[in-house]
Amino acid sequence: MRISLSKEIMKAEGKDQMLSSVVPASKEKSGNLDLLRGAKEKSMVKPMKEAKPIEECACPVVEARNFSFYYGSKMGIKDITMKIQPCAVTAIIGPSGCGKSTFLRSINRINDLIPNIRVEGEMFVNNQDIYVKQINLVNLRQQVGMVFQKPNPFPKSIFDNVAYGSKLQGIRKRGDLQEIVEESLKAAALWDEVKDDLRKSALSLSGGQQQRLCIARALATKPSVLLMDEPCSALDPISTGKIEDLIDNLKKDYTIVIVTHNMQQAARVSDQTAFFCLGELIEYDSTTTIFERPNKKQTEDYVTGRFG
Amino acid sequence: MQQIEKHSLTDKLQDTSSGTRPGPASGVSRGTLGAFLTHIRRIRRVVSERTIVCLIYICGVSAVIFVFGIFFFVFREGAPFLEHGFKAKEFFLSPDWYPTSATNKRYGILAQLVGTGSVTLVAMLVAVPFSLGTGIFIAEFCGKKTREIMKILVELLAAIPSVVWGFIGLMVMNPLIIKLTGAPIGLNVLNAGIIVGLMSVPIIVTIAEDAIRAVPDTYIEAAEALGATRWQLVRKVILPAAKSGLLAAVLLGVGRAVGETMAVLMCTGHSINIPFDAKVPFFHVLESVRTLTATIAAEMGEAPRLEANADGTYPTEALHYQALFVIGIVLFAITFVINITADMIVKGIRRKK
Ligand SMILES: Nc1ncnc2c1ncn2[C@@H]1O[C@H](COP(=O)(O)OP(=O)(O)OP(=O)(O)O)[C@@H](O)[C@H]1O
Ligand SMILES: [Mg+2]
């Protein structure tokens, strides 16, 4: 529901009379109508926007408090404290090896797969410290979806890929699955390209299509936080453009954290930007501030390309 | 010092080469001492490289030669039987194995074929679930320490000599089976199946674990990120992705079970018998059998290897020895088919991907 709604609104963007006809059609999330309208108005003053106040959004808050992450004895990130705005796009930038992926992957605990890791401090999702023992990782990951740097579809059909998460959650009815797949593929702007052949192997898609498929797969489980680790690094400008549009549409309903090496991309899609260096959070502010008048010399050097 | 070394080297090179290569004279005539040295070094490198390539080639070829050599030897010993006493229908479809009968020698290996098959079947029923479970546990579910300990234990299992397994079957399983099932004798298909099953566990576990660990991390990450539980991860991602490797593991286990000799000789009861009939439950695991391998092992010592008569025919006593070799050929063929099948299945799966 949430996905199709956002899609509708996105289409209606710039046509106010249409918006009013679309919004009441959604019953499920009526509590969010104001928020959505707010988001829409905000997006009029693109490209640089200030973050919305937290209360406006139903998405959970992601917050790190003095969070450190170690690979064995090797430090990955150190003492990160940051609060990620809900229903907004937060970009993480920084030189290679500075711990961007480490931070991102700490938010859904996918780093748990690596042996000998250790964390200090706290990471909150929805006011719940996710590194306490009794946390249910399955629930966490249903709430916090992830798109990886390299497209990683399963060697299955397009349909099965998108339906994968829902099947894991125990949705079996063919009709339900079909609905979810269509919704998700539409939200990921892939539907028109694949709708005629959902049985085709996902591996036969192009890289850009595969990446959008992975986004659709992540959306299908209806998370509220979406983590994206350099989602466009392997893509051509057209696919990148599509994914950026997609991110822009999705942020009304999702809290999005995106790691990117592309400054323009960060400036284009994000509301907030965090600059990491050597495992530390150097500066975290609105994207406008970071790119136009950063407070730290280091940040300025990096965003202007003078970083050594 | 250098001079001497250089000279001796040159001499050696001259000795070994047969004149096709330009001699040192031409090297010197080309100019300085430095150029000459470089020349020699280059030749040395080429020679040593050729030697290594040659060695590798010999190793590769000798593996093929050994296989063919073994096949040739087995075939040669069995060939006279194939020529004179062999009737395919009788050989494969008759359970009458009387190679030493004074009046009516008969060579039917149906009972042994069925014996090998039934022991292998039971062995796999025991080994496959057990090994795959262990493999999955070692590869995915346990910590690093447990994994190391488990691997050592599994390897220990592989290190037990087959005659010791036979002892276990004889001294432990035998009374146990009699006590638990009330069977008159504990040396039977069940006993041998369990023992051979345990014997094939290490090989299946090791290869299954490798196959499971070879599943790309990206699949595992993707599934975990979608909220898969540990068990869903195994069932829906790891097992399908490792399918071909797991199949290869199982087939190697089958090969192991088919080829096992000493332990089955001691545990099957070694009696010519087909443990199947029309009565429920059709497959009687509490009956004794005899396998192909055990037949060879037990009878080879008593079967005389006799030379051909002057007219090229063989005395009838010679057929026993030769028939045993034909059994060897059959075993060879069975393992060959198993391997080819495994290969084709693995390749087929790969192509489909
Ligand atoms: N699995 C791992 N084991 C050990 N060290 C790791 C592991 N993954 C990352 N690291 C280390 O942690 C540090 C941060 O890595 P991370 O992957 O978070 O960097 P990054 O900012 O994402 O870099 P990039 O932009 O190149 O992706 C690096 O120094 C890296 O060497
Ligand atoms: Mg990274």
Side-chain angles (χ1 to χ4, degrees):
Chain A
M1 257 336 272
R2 194 196 299 152
I3 296 163
S4 55
L5 171 63
S6 72
K7 179 83 179 172
E8 294 296 321
I9 291 182
M10 184 264 303
K11 272 192 205 142
E13 201 159 350
K15 296 178 211 153
D16 274 317
Q17 65 274 41
M18 250 188 94
L19 179 69
S20 52
S21 70
V22 170
V23 170
S26 82
K27 284 151 212 145
E28 235 173 62
K29 274 215 144 190
S30 52
N32 272 355
L33 287 184
D34 284 347
L35 138 77
L36 286 166
R37 213 173 265 135
K40 199 210 136 266
E41 276 155 24
K42 283 270 163 48
S43 63
M44 291 298 204
V45 290
K46 268 167 85 171
M48 300 290 184
K49 318 132 253 192
E50 299 300 326
K52 291 153 288 180
I54 289 167
E55 311 81 66
E56 272 193 29
C57 183
C59 289
V61 185
V62 176
E63 187 180 358
R65 280 189 211 149
N66 304 105
F67 187 81
S68 302
F69 189 98
Y70 297 87
Y71 296 100
S73 58
K74 191 176 183 312
M75 188 261 300
I77 47 176
K78 197 169 100 194
D79 202 22
I80 306 283
T81 300
M82 70 188 272
K83 195 167 191 168
I84 290 167
Q85 302 291 343
C87 292
V89 179
T90 303
I92 300 179
I93 58 171
S96 191
C98 67
K100 305 181 294 292
S101 300
T102 306
F103 179 72
L104 201 70
R105 294 162 61 90
S106 302
I107 301 175
N108 68 344
R109 289 189 60 175
I110 200 79
N111 265 341
D112 282 20
L113 289 171
I114 300 166
N116 292 330
I117 55 145
R118 191 163 56 83
V119 301
E120 279 166 15
E122 290 131 1
M123 176 75 78
F124 291 91
V125 173
N126 219 358
N127 297 319
Q128 167 70 54
D129 185 354
I130 58 165
Y131 278 91
V132 293
K133 262 234 167 70
Q134 58 271 35
I135 201 82
N136 181 337
L137 284 184
V138 173
N139 287 350
L140 173 69
R141 283 160 187 167
Q142 282 170 6
Q143 207 174 112
V144 184
M146 182 158 208
V147 178
F148 295 84
Q149 178 168 355
K150 278 217 315 255
N152 58 351
F154 297 112
K156 294 169 177 279
S157 71
I158 294 170
F159 184 92
D160 287 341
N161 262 281
V162 182
Y164 203 86
S166 313
K167 279 188 192 161
L168 291 182
Q169 290 174 11
I171 301 175
R172 288 264 172 277
K173 267 207 228 122
R174 192 81 201 155
D176 294 350
L177 287 175
Q178 244 147 9
E179 200 176 308
I180 290 169
V181 168
E182 183 173 340
E183 241 175 50
S184 313
L185 283 171
K186 277 181 176 161
L190 188 60
W191 175 250
D192 291 331
E193 285 155 75
V194 300
K195 63 168 182 258
D196 298 324
D197 206 356
L198 294 176
R199 294 266 135 246
K200 211 166 63 169
S201 163
L203 299 181
S204 66
L205 297 174
S206 76
Q209 289 173 327
Q210 284 187 13
Q211 191 63 298
R212 276 178 284 149
L213 180 71
C214 291
I215 294 175
R217 187 175 66 183
L219 296 180
T221 55
K222 308 212 186 324
S224 40
V225 179
L226 194 59
L227 310 173
M228 304 174 117
D229 194 349
E230 300 182 47
C232 304
S233 68
L235 305 185
D236 69 296
I238 292 173
S239 307
T240 303
K242 280 189 183 160
I243 288 178
E244 283 179 12
D245 289 347
L246 179 62
I247 292 171
D248 221 55
N249 299 334
L250 291 177
K251 79 169 179 199
K252 284 140 202 154
D253 309 296
Y254 296 85
T255 301
I256 299 177
V257 187
I258 176 172
V259 168
T260 177
H261 275 290
N262 182 331
M263 296 302 131
Q264 284 82 33
Q265 182 170 65
R268 278 195 302 267
V269 301
S270 71
D271 305 293
Q272 302 275 309
T273 299
F275 173 58
F276 277 54
C277 193
L278 295 175
E280 287 182 70
L281 177 62
I282 306 295
E283 192 169 351
Y284 175 45
D285 215 320
S286 75
T287 300
T288 332
T289 313
I290 294 283
F291 281 92
E292 285 170 10
R293 38 186 152 65
N295 290 316
K296 301 253 173 68
K297 178 87 174 47
Q298 225 176 335
T299 316
E300 188 178 355
D301 287 349
Y302 186 76
V303 298
T304 53
R306 256 176 295 154
F307 191 90
Chain B
M1 225 7 234
Q2 257 196 351
Q3 286 280 329
I4 297 165
E5 223 176 80
K6 185 196 75 193
H7 270 290
S8 61
L9 228 174
T10 333
D11 291 343
K12 260 189 220 153
L13 276 170
Q14 263 181 308
D15 287 343
T16 50
S17 69
S18 49
T20 49
R21 190 176 42 78
S26 69
V28 171
S29 74
R30 213 191 291 142
T32 63
L33 188 69
F36 177 58
L37 276 176
T38 325
H39 184 64
I40 285 183
R41 254 184 238 123
R42 208 195 62 206
I43 289 164
R44 234 177 108 189
R45 201 173 53 230
V46 170
V47 168
S48 71
E49 213 160 280
R50 281 223 186 112
T51 324
I52 289 168
V53 169
C54 208
L55 276 175
I56 290 172
Y57 188 74
I58 290 171
C59 291
V61 169
S62 62
V64 177
I65 289 174
F66 284 140
V67 171
F68 276 102
I70 291 168
F71 187 74
F72 173 77
F73 173 74
V74 173
F75 201 80
R76 192 193 63 187
E77 297 296 305
F81 178 81
L82 289 176
E83 231 174 278
H84 302 290
F86 182 75
K87 281 178 235 97
K89 199 172 151 210
E90 191 204 310
F91 191 70
F92 289 113
L93 296 181
S94 151
D96 297 335
W97 177 254
Y98 297 113
T100 51
S101 159
T103 51
N104 186 11
K105 294 186 178 21
R106 275 157 295 163
Y107 307 92
I109 62 162
L110 180 66
Q112 287 98 314
L113 274 173
V114 174
T116 292
S118 54
V119 170
T120 305
L121 180 70
V122 173
M124 288 304 114
L125 288 180
V126 173
V128 171
F130 188 70
S131 319
L132 294 190
T134 312
I136 292 168
F137 179 76
I138 292 180
E140 288 300 326
F141 282 82
C142 65
K144 212 173 162 192
K145 256 203 200 119
T146 327
R147 170 181 305 152
E148 292 309 316
I149 294 169
M150 292 285 289
K151 283 179 94 163
I152 291 170
L153 286 178
V154 167
E155 273 153 30
L156 216 68
L157 218 56
I160 299 175
S162 94
V163 69
V164 174
W165 280 113
F167 255 129
I168 296 172
L170 217 53
M171 309 308 295
V172 181
M173 299 286 293
N174 182 20
L176 202 65
I177 288 175
I178 293 175
K179 204 167 137 199
L180 291 180
T181 64
I185 183 164
L187 299 177
N188 48 30
V189 177
L190 183 65
N191 189 334
I194 291 171
I195 292 292
V196 174
L198 291 178
M199 291 176 79
S200 7
V201 162
I203 192 167
I204 304 182
V205 168
T206 310
I207 294 173
E209 194 217 337
D210 284 348
I212 290 167
R213 301 252 245 145
V215 173
D217 283 346
T218 55
Y219 293 171
I220 295 173
E221 271 185 354
E224 287 247 330
L226 288 174
T229 60
R230 216 60 174 296
W231 174 233
Q232 284 173 329
L233 190 68
V234 167
R235 207 161 43 100
K236 298 231 166 114
V237 181
I238 293 174
L239 290 187
K243 201 164 41 183
S244 55
L246 296 180
L247 201 69
V250 169
L251 282 170
L252 279 169
V254 171
R256 176 90 171 86
V258 169
E260 176 46 42
T261 307
M262 201 56 199
V264 289
L265 182 60
M266 295 166 79
C267 301
T268 50
H270 203 60
S271 74
I272 299 276
N273 171 44
I274 294 180
F276 292 91
D277 62 21
K279 275 199 307 259
V280 179
F282 309 119
F283 180 21
H284 304 278
V285 290
L286 294 177
E287 289 182 9
S288 298
V289 292
R290 183 192 290 195
T291 65
L292 294 168
T293 49
T295 304
I296 299 177
E299 298 179 10
M300 192 54 97
E302 289 145 28
R305 181 176 193 270
L306 302 173
E307 296 302 325
N309 298 326
D311 57 354
T313 60
Y314 283 83
T316 49
E317 288 78 30
L319 289 182
H320 186 194
Y321 173 87
Q322 292 158 4
L324 290 179
F325 271 89
V326 175
I327 294 181
I329 296 174
V330 170
L331 273 172
F332 208 49
I334 292 174
T335 39
F336 191 68
V337 168
I338 290 173
N339 279 347
I340 295 275
T341 319
D343 223 46
M344 282 197 314
I345 292 169
V346 168
K347 272 199 193 117
I349 288 166
R350 223 178 269 150
R351 201 169 308 128
K352 236 190 283 161
K353 273 187 198 161

